Amino acid sequence: MAAVQVSLPLPVLPESWSAEKDFKGIGTLSSATQRNLEPVGPHFLAHARRKRHHRTFSEDERIQAQENVKKVEDDDSGDISEPEDQLMLQRDAKDWKARFSHSDHTSSLSPPAGQDHYAVLGLSKYRFRATEAQIKRAHRKKVLRHHPDKKAAAGSSEDDSFFKCIQKATEILLDPVKRRQFDSVDEAADVEPPSKKAAQKSGAFFKLWSPVFESEGRFSKSGPVPKLGNETSSKKDVEDFYNFWYNFDSWRSFEYQDEDVPDDNENRDQKRHVERKNNNARKKKKTEDTARLRHLVDECLAGDERIKKFRKEERAGKDRKRVEREAAERQAAEDARKAKEEEEKLRLEKEVSEKAEKAEGKKAKEAAKNAAKKNKRVLKTSVKDSNYLLPAGETPGGKRMDDTLADVDLLVSRLDNEDLAALAKKLSQGGAGESGSVNGVAEVWKAEVKRLIQAGKVKEGEVKFFQPHA
């Protein structure tokens, strides 16, 4: 390629420019260097491509467009690529919505005549899990492949029926309300429950039933939806799982299966009749779907070995508690019997002890009583033997004797048994008086009267013949 020399002189400074004050140059500009420049960029590459392949502008643009379409298809052929059914390609766009039948809880809610919007866009394996971005990419891929203009350019028929199916599928799946209505009756996303025989195989129960509930869980109003778990799941997790499904709150509706309501204003009665008919049909299908789901949960519960294990453990726990309770009752009865026997034993011992103490007390009381009588006799005898405290040779009169004995009785009534015994002992020893027996006894009595007066048991002048010395 020939080199092109371009002359680029430096720009001229404006007249108003002036160097800064105190500006001082310290160097000079280097000399110019000659370099070779080559044209680059998409336009040059397009020019080179046309020159190389001897194409015109229109030919090159058409070929590039075809290559871009192929590149887009190759880029999108990963996760949203699936074979196209020839019967589906021949579908009439007018039959996108079919009539539905719902005879019982095992019947199909979506007949084969209806359009499968996910299959039209190549999203059969994603279905309700497909994201908006995946739907848009699938739509672009299908449009590039089945656009009527492309078919016409390729010499194919100008039938655009499947293209209209693509547009209808995209319209429904990109509208949240319409897509929800379609997902509500999309049984192609359902997983059939396993047979009883298949679920009873070793390790097959959880493997076969888990996808069933994962599929049904897409209709739940609340989340998260509990998992079925496995054989090691706790009792609480299993109970929470079945409680959730027996009280399942479903958003599932059946508007998609409604009969088309006439939109003309002239036939209002027919419009209201169709609306009532659709409402009644929805309620019936909702009731039947609830019964179907409950029947499904019943089947799963009946075959769940964990429930049987928990019930067996519960019965074992109840039996263990019953045995423990009976053992505790027997032990309590035995303890009560022993306590009663011990109580009876203590009662008998107490009665014996009380009887013995009573007997001893009675014996001691009798002894004290006898001792008191004896001491009283000693006191009276001491007065009698001392001639009623009269000098020897004098004969006491009756009054003297009565008054002296009355004083003795008064003093005896003021003495306790110990003092009475001490006084009797002193009098028995003869008083040990200085002037003989009579004086000694008198002195003893006078000393006792003085002590009693000092103790406040006898008042001054209360006795006549035993007055102490002043």
Side-chain angles (χ1 to χ4, degrees), residues 65 68-81 84 117 120-123 131-148 150 162-163 165-167 169-171 173-174:
N68 289 336
V69 170
K70 187 175 184 304
K71 183 179 179 181
V72 170
E73 292 179 351
D74 293 340
D75 291 342
D76 292 341
S77 62
D79 56 346
I80 58 175
S81 178
E84 293 180 336
H117 304 304
V120 169
L121 295 181
L123 297 171
T131 64
E132 183 178 349
Q134 289 175 322
I135 295 172
K136 290 180 178 179
R137 286 168 55 196
H139 173 254
R140 180 177 59 177
K141 176 182 176 181
K142 292 292 183 179
V143 167
L144 290 174
R145 180 177 297 178
H146 298 284
H147 197 282
K150 181 178 180 180
F162 187 67
F163 181 78
C165 292
I166 295 172
Q167 297 300 94
T170 305
E171 173 194 344
L173 296 184
L174 288 181

Side-chain angles (χ1 to χ4, degrees), residues 323-432:
V323 172
E324 293 176 353
R325 184 178 67 254
E326 291 175 353
E329 290 175 354
R330 288 195 298 270
Q331 184 64 36
E334 181 67 16
D335 293 342
R337 184 185 63 80
K338 290 181 178 180
K340 187 175 182 180
E341 291 179 353
E342 184 68 20
E343 183 181 356
E344 184 66 17
K345 180 180 178 182
L346 293 176
R347 187 184 65 80
L348 293 175
E349 290 178 354
K350 184 178 180 181
E351 287 182 357
V352 172
S353 176
E354 288 177 351
K355 287 181 180 180
E357 290 178 357
K358 189 175 181 180
E360 290 294 330
K362 185 176 181 180
K363 187 177 180 181
K365 189 175 181 181
E366 289 291 333
K369 185 177 180 181
N370 294 332
K373 289 181 179 180
K374 181 180 178 181
N375 292 330
K376 290 178 181 180
R377 287 196 299 270
V378 170
L379 266 61
K380 291 183 177 181
T381 302
S382 67
V383 174
K384 292 178 181 179
D385 293 344
S386 62
N387 197 26
Y388 295 97
L389 302 181
L390 291 174
E394 291 187 15
T395 302
K399 181 174 175 48
R400 173 72 180 192
M401 289 186 290
D402 293 338
D403 292 341
T404 304
L405 292 176
D407 286 346
V408 172
D409 291 333
L410 175 63
L411 295 175
V412 168
S413 65
R414 306 295 172 86
L415 296 173
D416 55 25
N417 290 335
E418 292 181 358
D419 292 340
L420 188 64
L423 180 59
K425 183 178 179 181
K426 292 178 182 179
L427 294 173
S428 297
Q429 293 174 355

Side-chain angles (χ1 to χ4, degrees), residues 26-142:
I26 58 175
T28 59
L29 296 175
S30 61
S31 59
T33 302
Q34 185 175 353
R35 298 181 182 277
N36 294 329
L37 300 178
E38 297 181 357
V40 295
H43 297 289
F44 173 76
L45 295 177
H47 169 74
R49 186 175 59 250
R50 288 191 299 271
K51 290 295 184 183
R52 179 181 179 184
H53 297 289
H54 305 286
R55 300 173 184 169
T56 64
F57 275 91
S58 59
E59 288 176 342
D60 186 67
E61 289 178 355
R62 179 176 55 81
I63 293 174
Q64 285 299 111
Q66 292 176 352
E67 291 180 354
N68 289 336
V69 170
K70 187 175 184 304
K71 183 179 179 181
V72 170
E73 292 179 351
D74 293 340
D75 291 342
D76 292 341
S77 62
D79 56 346
I80 58 175
S81 178
E82 62 185 29
E84 293 180 336
D85 186 3
Q86 293 301 318
L87 294 177
M88 180 179 67
L89 296 177
Q90 299 172 8
R91 172 179 293 281
D92 188 351
K94 296 179 181 180
D95 296 334
W96 68 270
K97 184 176 181 181
R99 304 304 175 195
F100 294 84
S101 62
H102 191 8
S103 58
D104 53 37
H105 66 271
T106 60
S107 64
S108 176
L109 297 178
S110 53
Q115 174 174 309
D116 186 346
H117 304 304
Y118 291 110
V120 169
L121 295 181
L123 297 171
S124 296
K125 65 180 180 180
Y126 292 99
R127 310 203 76 82
F128 65 92
R129 299 184 184 88
T131 64
E132 183 178 349
Q134 289 175 322
I135 295 172
K136 290 180 178 179
R137 286 168 55 196
H139 173 254
R140 180 177 59 177
K141 176 182 176 181
K142 292 292 183 179

